[in-house]
């Protein structure tokens, strides 16, 4: 048995186990850059256990097939699941995966036919187990990017889809800040009134346009050409384009962009971006990207909105099929404190050097 304990900076944790090393090693790589990952021999607290096991996969699939399952889309694939007392059994047929959550023993079992698929699912669900603990302890998940200075002062970036949250985070990170979040961040008001923030570990999706603007396409191509691998959720078309030195965006038939997917540790080793494990919110940026506009600072009337929080009504990728998450909490205090933070609006285009200058001015306006 191999096991690794995954823990946030404030001690919320889950243990990932397997009969071999591959699944725990995967979790250690996935989480270790933002949370901690420590090999352990004593198993305590919630556990996510993953293995390649076709016999158990068939048995769990039979449980679902013999019932009237509910259907949802989870992490981009259909999931069928049934609830019985303290158990939830689920399958994702197209992924060759089956799951069983035992709420009494706090054990989430994942089995499948492919080691990479099992390891990916185990990491994803381990994060959900920790999310449940954080939410129960008063944390919220914001749809925001975040970068942190040396003293932990953190700039949050809020905005609707396409506003420039990722562009802001990577531009500031390339300029010397530490990246704390690319798309989501945990936030909570502590007893002193400070908004504490923790990272949401994930693979980083960076569009071809931004990767090119940051002058990172050739670096990525060279790494791939040397035999290194990017995150397996990356589409093969993206890998082929990167190897060919491509810089133009690729699109699914649905209209969604296919983006390069970086492991968290590759942000450090490939892209020379420092990562942060925690911080405290010191200001909020509200960017807008307009390709033909001159980058500049602007007045902003937008404040923190319902859509800036991930909850059961806005979560579109990781719905709570297993009943892990606690009831929705009241985040009135967090919203009020965020509203008191200094904020700055800005317009950016696709000229990274000019954007960097305007972002530097914006951060200075926040007195960070």
């Amino acid at each position: 048995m191999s096991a690794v304990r995954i823990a946030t900076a404030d001690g919320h944790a889950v243990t990932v186990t397997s009969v071999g090393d591959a699944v725990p090693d995967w979790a250690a790589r996935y989480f270790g850059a933002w949370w901690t990952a420590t090999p352990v021999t004593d198993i305590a607290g919630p556990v996510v256990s993953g293995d390649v096991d076709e016999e158990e996969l068939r048995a769990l699939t039979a449980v679902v097939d013999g019932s009237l399952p509910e259907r949802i889309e989870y992490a981009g694939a259909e999931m069928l699941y049934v609830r019985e007392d303290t158990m939830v059994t689920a399958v994702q047929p197209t992924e060759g995966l089956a799951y069983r959550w035992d709420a009494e023993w706090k054990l989430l079992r994942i089995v499948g036919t492919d080691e990479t698929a099992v390891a990916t699912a185990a990491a994803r669900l381990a994060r959900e187990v920790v999310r449940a603990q954080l939410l129960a302890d008063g944390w919220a998940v914001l749809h925001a990017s975040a970068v942190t200075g040396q003293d932990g002062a953190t700039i949050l970036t809020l905005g609707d889809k396409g506003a420039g949250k990722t562009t802001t985070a990577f531009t500031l990170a390339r300029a010397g800040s530490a990246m704390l979040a690319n798309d989501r961040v945990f936030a909570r008001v502590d007893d002193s009134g400070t908004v504490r923030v923790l990272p949401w570990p994930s693979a980083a999706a960076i569009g071809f346009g931004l990767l090119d603007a940051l002058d990172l396409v050739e670096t990525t191509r060279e790494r791939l050409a040397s035999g290194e691998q990017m995150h397996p959720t990356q589409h093969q078309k993206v890998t082929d384009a990167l190897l060919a030195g491509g810089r133009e965006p690729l699109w699914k038939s649905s209209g969604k962009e296919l983006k390069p997917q970086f492991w968290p540790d590759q942000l450090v080793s490939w892209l020379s971006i420092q990562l942060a494990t925690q911080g405290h919110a010191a200001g909020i940026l509200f960017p807008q990207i307009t390709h033909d506009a001159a980058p500049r600072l602007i007045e902003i009337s937008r404040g923190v909105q319902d859509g800036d929080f991930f909850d059961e009504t806005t979560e579109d990728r990781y719905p709570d099929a297993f009943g892990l998450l606690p009831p929705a909490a009241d985040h009135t205090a967090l919203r009020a404190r965020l509203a008191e933070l200094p904020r700055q609006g800005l317009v950016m285009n696709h000229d990274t050097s000019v954007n960097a200058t305007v972002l530097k001015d914006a951060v200075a306006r926040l007195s960070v």
Side-chain angles (χ1 to χ4, degrees):
M1 175 71 71
S2 179
V4 62
R5 185 174 185 268
I6 307 299
T8 66
D10 68 340
H12 294 87
V14 62
T15 301
V16 177
T17 70
S18 181
V19 295
D21 294 332
V23 173
D25 285 352
W26 186 287
R29 184 181 183 189
Y30 194 81
F31 293 108
W34 269 306
W35 294 352
T36 61
T38 307
V40 294
T41 55
D42 57 321
I43 310 301
V47 172
V48 173
S49 173
D51 287 295
V52 172
D53 190 321
E54 295 189 25
E55 182 177 350
E56 190 173 354
L57 172 65
R58 288 192 294 270
L60 294 178
T61 300
V63 172
V64 175
D65 289 345
S67 306
L68 295 174
E70 298 182 60
R71 298 170 183 264
I72 57 169
E73 183 173 295
Y74 188 88
E78 185 181 53
M79 175 180 281
L80 292 75
Y81 65 98
V82 294
R83 301 177 186 272
E84 184 178 1
D85 298 327
T86 62
M87 295 277 196
V88 178
T89 307
V91 295
Q92 288 185 292
T94 60
E95 309 301 295
L97 292 169
Y99 310 79
R100 172 160 282 179
W101 166 242
D102 186 328
E104 182 177 358
W105 291 97
K106 297 190 182 303
L107 170 63
L108 180 54
R109 178 69 171 155
I110 304 170
V111 293
T113 59
D114 178 77
E115 190 173 71
T116 296
V118 171
T120 303
R124 184 181 295 128
L125 269 301
R127 185 180 57 202
E128 289 301 287
V129 171
V130 175
R131 169 159 58 162
Q133 296 173 45
L134 287 165
L135 295 185
D137 202 24
W139 293 80
V141 182
L142 292 175
H143 191 187
S145 67
V147 296
T148 300
Q150 292 184 347
D151 61 352
T154 299
I155 299 296
L156 299 173
T157 302
L158 298 178
D160 300 329
K161 186 176 179 61
K165 295 185 292 295
T166 297
T167 296
T168 297
F170 277 98
T171 302
L172 289 173
R174 288 283 286 174
S177 297
M179 180 175 290
L180 189 139
N182 173 41
D183 184 62
R184 301 184 186 212
V185 62
F186 290 100
R188 186 184 72 170
V189 180
D190 67 16
D191 293 340
S192 69
T194 299
V195 178
R196 295 184 58 207
V197 289
L198 293 172
W200 167 282
S202 69
I206 310 176
F208 276 91
L210 179 57
L211 201 65
D212 185 26
L214 295 172
D215 196 26
L216 293 171
V217 173
E218 183 59 21
T219 296
T220 304
R221 188 199 67 78
E222 290 176 355
R223 290 282 191 161
L224 282 173
S226 72
E228 297 184 67
Q229 302 293 317
M230 299 181 73
H231 196 272
T233 56
Q234 177 169 289
H235 197 285
Q236 186 61 43
K237 288 183 178 179
V238 174
T239 302
D240 294 342
L242 287 168
L243 285 168
R247 297 169 187 268
E248 296 299 318
L250 300 174
W251 306 93
K252 293 182 179 180
S253 58
S254 63
K256 185 176 181 180
E257 185 178 358
L258 292 168
K259 297 181 179 181
Q261 303 278 339
F262 294 85
W263 284 90
D265 63 289
Q266 289 174 335
L267 298 180
V268 181
S269 60
W270 289 26
L271 309 186
S272 300
I273 290 174
Q274 182 182 353
L275 302 182
T277 60
Q278 61 182 318
H280 59 273
I284 305 176
L285 294 177
F286 292 93
Q288 302 172 19
I289 292 185
T290 307
H291 74 277
D292 57 354
R296 64 192 186 278
L297 302 181
I298 60 172
E299 297 297 322
I300 187 73
S301 59
R302 187 193 190 283
V304 179
Q305 301 176 352
D306 290 344
D308 295 324
F309 290 81
F310 280 105
D311 58 26
E312 69 277 3
T313 64
T314 57
E315 178 59 79
D316 59 353
R317 186 160 177 78
Y318 309 111
D320 188 24
F322 298 99
L324 299 172
L325 306 183
D330 182 357
H331 297 301
T332 301
L334 174 59
R335 293 179 66 139
R337 185 66 189 97
L338 289 172
E340 294 172 355
L341 294 175
R343 60 183 181 173
Q344 178 63 55
L346 67 150
V347 173
M348 297 185 293
N349 59 24
H350 298 302
D351 187 330
T352 305
S353 61
V354 180
N355 288 343
T357 299
V358 173
L359 280 166
K360 181 178 179 181
D361 293 340
V363 172
R365 286 279 191 95
L366 299 177
S367 300
V368 175

